Amino acid sequence: MIYNRNYNWPKEFLFLYAFLLALTYSPVVSAHVGSSGVIVQKQAGKYQLLISIKPPDVVPGTASVTVFVENGRVSSIGARPIYFRSGDKGAPTHDILTPTGQNRYEGDLWLMDSGSSSIELSIDGPDGKQQVVVPVMAVATALREMPEGTGFGLAAMGLLLVVMLITIIGASNADGIVAPGQAPPAKIGRRRLAGMSVGLVVIVLILAGWRSWWNSTAEDYRNVQLYRPTPIRSSIQVADAQRQLTIQFDTTGFGKDRQKRRPLSYLLPDHGKLMHAFLVRMPGPSSAGLDAFAHLHPNRRDTLTYEATLPALPGGRYLLYADVVYRSGFAETLTDTVDVPALKTAGSLPGAKVASAAKPSDIDDSWLVAEPMGVKAGAENVPHLDNDMVVCGKPGASVKLADGSTMLWMDKQSQVLEVGKLYTLKFAVADAQGKAAPLEPYLGMGGHAVILRSDGTVYIHLHPVGTYSMAAEGSLVGRIADTARTFHYPNAVQFRDSIDTYIAKLKTMPEVEKNKLLAAAIPGMSHQMKTNNMVEFPYAFPRAGHYRIWVQVKRNGQVLTGVFDTQVNEPLL
């Protein structure tokens, strides 16, 4: 086990504190909208690694680290947590992971404080030494209540200890006046009773003080340490046949509650965009739901306000997920629901608003209206956009794209997937003649994917390298290289203006040059496929249920979106 050497507490105390804290609360929230684990698949030198990190939901707590060496000869793998705030100088030494199988290494690391952090892996072997930094958000996301049986057991043991301690104090006060071989005096009983009474008072005062400290600590945990996403207010305004989406950070309580504060002037662009907003239509009276989808990139109007022109989406109530990254490397998904008004088609009424007139505010915005999510009668475990073909002897799925090409879901291990199992979701694109269709970079990478559980409780924005933010990794890698013990933020206005200038420059650049610049800004993110018509994403589904997957690639300058459904069940025992 590792603990941060900034703390001088013994490990036994840390374990007891974390144990009691974990028993005292009940789950109420989940990080990254139901997908708290971090999965990374990347090349480091000659090593191809698949990394899974499960952060604790109570801090202090231990993060579970698993590394699969898919390629390369490894002798040992070390791991250590590094916080953005303290950097490399304030981090502990590496802990050696334990080999648990062929090319598999595991270990647990203590995360002692909340905040933006990372796990640094040090790989050593005949193929050289490499380091990999994986962003991990060390935040408390759960409240737990002590089980009733455990509470009764601890209360009984505590009462026994109190009685024994009072008895010992009384005996010490009385028996100490009796010399060896002498008969006890008549007043020994009174002395014993007086000693026990004083001991009882002292113990009661100690327990009262401890209870006050514990209640204060629990209240601080509940109100300060427990993570709560930054609230946002989203709305739609209609003007000149355009529907404008406005997303505004709600800063209510920022001045009084430090838990709510966010450095909103210090947002970082993630593969060229300050915000990635996803809209998905919810089920309603006229819609089966999850049929309309949009991937938008709102422009920053001011520090608190972001705006985007809506594409030709049908009206209805939509789920909104907005991804942002702060200068510390802390990545956050903001959620809301928004009512999108329907726009009438041309010619229906004089002066009618025309949906087709909508022009995207960002050239990289994309959207799709597909078949609603649902299950055919008699095929409850076989979603209708899934398992319609067999690819190389394995279940597969296919869907037609907007340009006439076909996207195929390759290498599915089974028709129904399992919770918690690491999958590499592979997708290929073939043209109308069935030949491999070369893909172009989309925002500097091979593709994007969004996975959403049917009830909206699980959401993830995936990249070919995994479930984490590229900007977060870059920020944390830069902080580790910084030799300063503490980090000092630059001037807020200058920082914000420099980011806005950078993004404005990206918008004017030709596509090829823009992708080169984005790729240069995220070294180590290259995830080249053996064939250039394929893209893959590592992921483990966190809960059983019915999921929809949107896969986005780019071809001939056009963003293409394929949509697939799948069923995920609990693993069979």
Side-chain angles (χ1 to χ4, degrees):
M1 300 289 185
I2 285 181
Y3 66 102
N4 194 315
R5 61 180 172 217
N6 291 332
Y7 295 80
N8 295 319
W9 303 331
K11 292 184 180 180
E12 292 79 5
F13 175 82
L14 298 177
F15 176 78
L16 177 62
Y17 177 74
F19 173 73
L20 291 175
L21 201 60
L23 288 178
T24 308
Y25 301 105
S26 61
V28 294
V29 294
S30 56
H32 210 310
V33 196
S35 285
S36 59
V38 181
I39 300 173
V40 178
Q41 185 177 44
K42 66 187 305 184
Q43 190 80 23
K46 295 183 179 180
Y47 303 111
Q48 177 74 22
L49 306 173
L50 178 60
I51 305 162
S52 173
I53 299 177
K54 297 179 181 179
D57 56 6
V58 172
V59 179
T62 57
S64 175
V65 181
T66 303
V67 180
F68 299 90
V69 182
E70 299 180 318
N71 192 24
R73 297 168 297 168
V74 171
S75 299
S76 66
I77 299 179
R80 63 172 180 159
I82 302 179
Y83 282 82
F84 182 87
R85 183 171 52 252
S86 57
D88 178 70
K89 298 298 182 181
T93 57
H94 288 88
D95 193 27
I96 302 301
L97 302 185
T98 302
T100 58
Q102 186 175 6
N103 298 324
R104 176 172 174 160
Y105 297 79
E106 294 182 346
D108 294 325
L109 304 179
W110 275 101
L111 295 178
M112 293 307 306
D113 198 5
S114 298
S116 180
S117 63
S118 62
I119 303 296
E120 182 188 69
L121 299 175
S122 180
I123 302 100
D124 195 4
D127 287 329
K129 294 183 178 181
Q130 295 290 334
Q131 287 188 333
V132 174
V133 175
V134 180
V136 175
M137 302 303 106
V139 291
T141 60
L143 292 171
R144 293 200 179 121
E145 290 183 357
M146 183 179 295
E148 187 174 341
T150 303
F152 283 130
L154 291 176
M157 287 189 292
L159 180 61
L160 178 61
L161 289 174
V162 169
V163 171
M164 292 176 63
L165 185 57
I166 292 174
T167 302
I168 291 172
I169 294 173
S172 300
N173 186 57
D175 298 346
I177 65 173
V178 181
Q182 292 183 354
K187 61 179 181 179
I188 191 171
R190 293 195 299 272
R191 288 182 62 90
R192 182 179 289 114
L193 183 61
M196 293 173 65
S197 300
V198 172
L200 177 61
V201 171
V202 171
I203 291 174
V204 168
L205 291 175
I206 292 174
L207 290 177
W210 182 86
R211 178 178 176 80
S212 176
W213 170 83
W214 181 258
N215 288 339
S216 174
T217 301
E219 190 69 17
D220 180 77
Y221 177 91
R222 186 187 303 272
N223 296 329
V224 178
Q225 296 185 49
L226 186 66
Y227 169 76
R228 295 179 180 86
T230 303
I232 56 174
R233 296 192 300 265
S234 53
S235 60
I236 306 289
Q237 293 82 34
V238 181
D240 300 327
Q242 304 280 339
R243 294 172 297 179
Q244 188 85 1
L245 169 66
T246 300
I247 300 173
Q248 188 171 47
F249 287 91
D250 184 356
T251 59
T252 304
F254 268 36
K256 298 180 180 179
D257 189 344
R258 65 183 179 90
Q259 193 276 343
K260 293 182 179 179
R261 298 175 195 168
R262 297 291 190 275
L264 299 178
S265 294
Y266 296 97
L267 290 186
L268 288 178
D270 197 10
H271 34 90
K273 309 295 181 182
L274 271 178
M275 179 182 288
H276 294 261
F278 296 91
L279 287 169
V280 181
R281 186 159 68 158
M282 301 170 62
S286 61
S287 169
L290 278 65
D291 54 344
F293 165 88
H295 178 186
L296 309 178
H297 307 96
N299 297 314
R300 177 160 60 184
R301 190 180 74 189
D302 53 50
T303 303
L304 302 181
T305 310
Y306 290 74
E307 296 176 337
T309 300
L310 287 188
L313 294 174
R317 172 159 289 190
Y318 282 72
L319 295 168
L320 170 65
Y321 302 92
D323 296 334
V324 295
V325 183
Y326 302 96
R327 175 64 182 86
S328 65
F330 191 90
E332 189 170 32
T333 296
L334 315 172
T335 61
D336 199 5
T337 58
V338 60
D339 291 316
V340 175
L343 293 182
K344 298 179 176 64
T345 56
S348 58
L349 288 173
K353 307 177 184 69
V354 183
S356 59
K359 297 179 181 179
S361 51
D362 190 289
I363 192 173
D364 294 309
D365 287 356
S366 56
W367 62 95
L368 176 74
V369 179
E371 211 179 323
M373 189 177 193
V375 181
K376 292 181 179 179
E380 284 73 13
N381 275 337
V382 185
H384 65 277
L385 286 181
D386 200 9
N387 307 319
D388 63 349
M389 60 183 299
V390 175
V391 182
C392 299
K394 295 183 179 180
S398 65
V399 64
K400 285 289 184 182
L401 302 180
D403 68 343
S405 60
T406 300
M407 180 177 288
L408 301 94
W409 185 352
M410 312 284 290
D411 295 341
K412 284 193 67 180
Q413 296 186 12
S414 62
Q415 288 187 349
V416 178
L417 305 182
E418 292 184 1
V419 172
K421 188 173 182 179
L422 274 173
Y423 292 103
T424 299
L425 309 177
K426 296 181 181 180
F427 302 89
V429 178
D431 62 19
Q433 289 73 41
K435 297 181 180 180
L439 302 178
E440 302 164 0
Y442 177 33
L443 297 177
M445 58 191 65
H448 297 253
V450 172
I451 297 180
L452 187 67
R453 196 171 184 266
S454 59
D455 61 358
T457 58
V458 175
Y459 154 85
I460 191 73
H461 177 192
L462 283 173
H463 305 111
V465 292
T467 64
Y468 67 99
S469 159
M470 316 296 103
E473 181 181 17
S475 181
L476 287 160
V477 169
R479 178 66 182 103
I480 292 171
D482 185 0
T483 58
R485 181 65 181 262
T486 58
F487 178 80
H488 298 285
Y489 280 93
N491 177 272
V493 175
Q494 293 179 356
F495 182 87
R496 185 190 61 206
D497 290 346
S498 67
I499 294 297
D500 288 341
T501 301
Y502 168 75
I503 291 175
K505 176 184 176 182
L506 284 177
K507 290 185 176 183
T508 63
M509 296 179 68
E511 190 69 13
V512 174
E513 293 183 20
K514 181 177 71 174
N515 282 314
K516 286 182 179 179
L517 183 61
L518 291 175
I522 48 176
M525 297 299 167
S526 177
H527 198 268
Q528 298 295 328
M529 299 296 297
K530 294 180 181 178
T531 55
N532 64 352
N533 74 317
M534 295 185 65
V535 63
E536 60 182 38
F537 308 91
Y539 188 60
F541 292 89
R543 294 175 56 197
H546 195 194
Y547 287 82
R548 172 154 282 196
I549 305 173
W550 291 269
V551 181
Q552 297 195 288
V553 296
K554 198 167 191 178
R555 180 170 178 256
N556 297 325
Q558 181 181 3
V559 178
L560 304 171
T561 303
V563 58
F564 302 89
D565 293 342
T566 195
Q567 185 79 22
V568 179
N569 290 348
E570 294 290 346
L572 297 175
L573 299 178

